[in-house]
Amino acid sequence: MTKNVLLTGIGGQGTITASKLLTIGLMSAGYDVKMSEVHGMSQREGQVLTHLRYGDKVFSPVVPKGEADIIMGFEELEVLRNIDYLKQDGVVVLNTVRFNPIGVLSGKDKYPENTVEMIKKRSGKLYAFNASEEAEKLGNLKVMNIILLGTIIKSMKLEDINWDKIIEENVKEKFVELNKKALRVGMDLV
Amino acid sequence: MKKLMTGDEAIARGVFEAGVKFAAAYPGTPSTEILENLLEIDRKYLFAEWAPNEKVALESAIGASVAGARSFASMKHVGLNVAADPFFTAAYSGVNGGLVIVSADEPGQFSSQNEQDNRNMAKAAFVPMFEPSDSEDCRVMVKEAYELSEKYDAPILIRMTTRVCHSKGLVEIGERKEVGIKKWEKNPQKYVMVPANAKVRKQLIFKRFEELKEYSNNCKWNFIEYNDTKIGVIASGDCYLYAQEVFGKEASYLKVGFSNPLPDKLFKEFAEKVDKIYVIEENDPIMEQHIKALGIECHGKDIFPSYGEMIPEVIREAVYGKKIEPDEEVKEIMINRAPTFCAGCPHRGFFYTLGKRKNIMISGDIGCYTLSAGDPYKAMDMTLCMGASVSMGHGAAQVFSMDECEQDMKVVSVLGDSTFFHSGITSLIDVVYNNSSAVTCILDNRITGMTGQQQNPGTGFTAQGEISTEVDIEALVRAIGVKNVRRINPNNLDEVNEAFDWALALDEPSVIITWWPCALKKQSEEDKKNFPGSFKDKFQVDEDKCIGCRKCTKTGCPAISFKTEIKKSSIDPNKCVGCSVCAQVCPVGAIGKVVK
């Protein structure tokens, strides 16, 4: 049985790093894993979407619409934009932050108001919290993505994988302890 | 040992294992990471470098091959257009050391100016071609491609697509096979492509192609997998995986991994066994037309789209009519997230100023600065391909200067430093030679920005980060005959405006060089010396002074937002890097430096 995960956010939020760590973890657990990244043209502020699939045997690296078991959202609007991927009763883990697209900043567009309610309406289960604030409490906004990784690990029931080891092997040494701590914070949020 | 790798990483691994000694590329999404990974390899095994453009990259690789080493070049699909000249003729001259070329195509166009199918290039040039489906395919096929290249004396093309390049899958790591450097022997009949020699070589190409047809029908890359025979699927590349996802064991498959020349015998054999054939391929109906020409009935572009990716939901909809309807309520409120310049991008001040000018046609190019076409700048009127800004601008300026032309327009052409080296320089020579009044702006942000900070001939460093000869753009521009040259700081709006006033008043060629590093660039010691204190400041809004005019938000900086509830602007300190453009735009002096 193939499990489908979608990670979505904005360039610069660390979406791809979180996806990579998750992929490495799943691989270490013996799954066949495929992951596919799509990032927009801009280095920063553009949409980022990662498809991640795992199971005994995975063919396509792309999650079909309507089949995502879980969407891990780094930003509200981007979750809503990709909500058609979620299967019925699928889980959404949401970072309740808003990054205004340039059209909103310049006053041309309006950021939709009730994004969280709309997401809630369309998901079987919604875990929503502000991981950015949690990261700031840890003293480094950048570990927001690892906190989210912790929450997704918990909600996907993947705690048995040795995540500490994966962080040790894939994160710059001086950030290892902070990342481990962030992962715990994330796991405790669910 | 198995490792998780993207297709790009796996190609690099295969190149290493195949004993390749020389590799060159020009960055281009989604191919960039191939050479980036080759740069990680110890140069005692393999020497990798960035070339100024794809033609140069391929020509260097061809030269390395003639000299006897296994060599490699990679590029994005449009890059093969730039390299088409050597590509077509290298098919004639063949190889000494094996030569493999990667073309990374973009079905669905994630970051490209067109969607072209480079299987057409392989076909037109009579170059044998592989199409990997996933990362492990990439690694093994590139190794086989070198064997084939040397056996058949031909360059080999590997067609990848975005999904193959940027998807991760498990790859079996192998050992490197040292193949040494073959002896080079003088052989002008083979390597000097004058007509008399080329005519002979063309005959050899056809002979080779006949032999390769045998290979195509019998190699392990093209195979049939029989399951239920009511449906037969013929697919190559990622389409094979998508099809398996949709049909599973309910269909039989003919996987085409080696696709030029195509396996006619296999097609016929397959057609006899299955009831209904679907040919699933991204972009052009190359296999479909070939199969139909063999007299085999099949479905292809009559039901599948002629553009975009053939992902499972697309196949499902085409075959079974199953469609996931978008959530109407969500669709209604959804807004765009257009890509934009980073906070502190040196292009911002430049385009903010340029966009306000009247009676100007702005001729643009491929790079981050193409983003100026969108809101709020709207400062780009045409963009075609790498280096074209300057020559298109020249052509337009010639027309605007004709007596019968009723439009009084001036032309400003804009391109980046890496693009200038890529192919802008020949265009600028054209401007000078034919005495154009077009203003050429070279936006030198000290790095190749959009593809992710690769070195180029103007940065002073090689791909490995070693100190190199830095091309002085200003001296170069003067040397080709431009008399009017100014170098400015693009963050200083007055300076930008003055430079435009000056250049637009001239009736002869002029060049404005903006000089400020990319905000994402890791600064070298030299950068720190050249741009002291850059990206160190933060700016803030004094809410007592802010009159809510929103002029600062019109600069399009992602660090600036407008608090509607109090009608004041605010600057996100996590994003601001102190370029000061907003402070210069503010009419009441409400934006100032944060005093530490």
Side-chain angles (χ1 to χ4, degrees), chain B residues 230-250:
Chain B
K230 276 194 210 66
I231 294 175
V233 172
I234 299 175
S236 67
D238 40 10
C239 295
Y240 170 65
L241 302 175
Y242 300 150
Q244 276 186 309
E245 184 77 29
V246 173
F247 300 106
K249 299 280 180 200
E250 320 251 289

Side-chain angles (χ1 to χ4, degrees), chain B residues 178-229:
Chain B
E178 285 300 341
V179 285
I181 295 175
K182 285 187 177 173
K183 191 165 181 279
W184 171 70
E185 281 165 5
K186 264 188 191 295
N187 189 352
Q189 285 78 23
K190 184 172 186 310
Y191 296 119
V192 181
M193 280 307 109
V194 291
N197 295 338
K199 278 179 197 169
V200 179
R201 298 295 304 179
K202 180 81 196 232
Q203 294 168 25
L204 291 174
I205 281 184
F206 280 97
K207 192 171 155 277
R208 174 174 83 201
F209 222 59
E210 286 307 312
E211 290 166 17
L212 280 162
K213 279 181 188 166
E214 275 303 299
Y215 174 84
S216 186
N217 280 310
N218 297 302
C219 68
K220 65 174 177 184
W221 320 103
N222 298 335
F223 60 85
I224 295 173
E225 183 195 325
Y226 287 115
N227 302 305
D228 195 323
T229 53

Side-chain angles (χ1 to χ4, degrees), chain B residues 114-396:
Chain B
N114 76 22
E115 182 185 59
Q116 74 186 47
D117 187 335
N118 278 353
R119 293 180 300 165
N120 289 304
M121 295 291 256
K123 201 174 152 191
F126 292 91
V127 168
M129 180 172 65
F130 285 92
E131 286 184 68
S133 296
D134 58 16
S135 299
E136 177 63 1
D137 262 5
C138 288
R139 185 189 70 90
V140 288
M141 280 182 180
V142 78
K143 289 169 74 172
E144 172 71 5
Y146 278 100
E147 299 299 326
L148 213 63
S149 172
E150 287 170 2
K151 183 173 173 196
Y152 290 93
D153 189 14
I156 310 286
L157 186 67
I158 295 180
R159 184 216 191 197
M160 298 174 70
T161 56
T162 312
R163 291 288 176 189
V164 180
C165 292
H166 282 177
S167 294
K168 276 187 191 245
L170 295 174
V171 170
E172 187 71 50
I173 299 295
E175 293 290 312
R176 177 173 166 99
K177 180 183 142 192
E178 285 300 341
V179 285
I181 295 175
K182 285 187 177 173
K183 191 165 181 279
W184 171 70
E185 281 165 5
K186 264 188 191 295
N187 189 352
Q189 285 78 23
K190 184 172 186 310
Y191 296 119
V192 181
M193 280 307 109
V194 291
N197 295 338
K199 278 179 197 169
V200 179
R201 298 295 304 179
K202 180 81 196 232
Q203 294 168 25
L204 291 174
I205 281 184
F206 280 97
K207 192 171 155 277
R208 174 174 83 201
F209 222 59
E210 286 307 312
E211 290 166 17
L212 280 162
K213 279 181 188 166
E214 275 303 299
Y215 174 84
S216 186
N217 280 310
N218 297 302
C219 68
K220 65 174 177 184
W221 320 103
N222 298 335
F223 60 85
I224 295 173
E225 183 195 325
Y226 287 115
N227 302 305
D228 195 323
T229 53
K230 276 194 210 66
I231 294 175
V233 172
I234 299 175
S236 67
D238 40 10
C239 295
Y240 170 65
L241 302 175
Y242 300 150
Q244 276 186 309
E245 184 77 29
V246 173
F247 300 106
K249 299 280 180 200
E250 320 251 289
S252 297
Y253 301 92
L254 197 177
K255 191 207 173 186
V256 181
F258 179 81
S259 59
N260 195 40
L262 285 163
D264 293 355
K265 271 189 213 157
L266 284 183
F267 286 148
K268 288 176 187 160
E269 184 191 323
F270 192 60
E272 276 173 22
K273 298 270 171 56
V274 298
D275 299 342
K276 191 177 196 178
I277 295 180
Y278 292 114
V279 181
I280 304 179
E281 53 192 329
E282 278 170 337
N283 295 144
D284 300 341
I286 293 176
M287 289 199 292
E288 179 189 345
Q289 283 172 356
H290 187 94
I291 290 162
K292 282 181 172 162
L294 293 172
I296 299 168
E297 258 185 64
C298 64
H299 287 287
K301 297 301 177 191
D302 54 330
I303 60 165
F304 299 112
S306 298
Y307 50 85
E309 297 184 289
M310 295 299 122
I311 49 177
E313 62 212 54
V314 172
I315 300 174
R316 239 174 238 140
E317 190 185 335
V319 176
Y320 299 118
K322 276 187 199 162
K323 198 179 175 191
I324 304 280
E325 293 296 339
D327 189 313
E328 282 303 322
E329 198 190 355
V330 172
K331 209 172 132 191
E332 217 164 83
I333 56 124
M334 193 43 65
I335 53 170
N336 253 346
R337 189 178 296 277
T340 181
F341 294 131
C342 305
C345 175
H347 302 330
R348 172 168 290 104
F350 177 85
F351 282 108
Y352 178 81
T353 314
L354 179 58
K356 295 206 176 313
R357 293 246 156 195
K358 298 278 179 277
N359 299 324
I360 303 265
M361 177 201 244
I362 305 167
S363 177
D365 221 296
I366 310 297
C368 292
Y369 34 86
T370 319
L371 299 173
S372 68
D375 283 326
Y377 315 99
K378 295 203 165 57
M380 195 150 284
D381 297 311
M382 51 186 182
T383 305
L384 200 64
C385 61
M386 295 280 288
S389 56
V390 182
S391 19
M392 276 202 299
H394 167 68

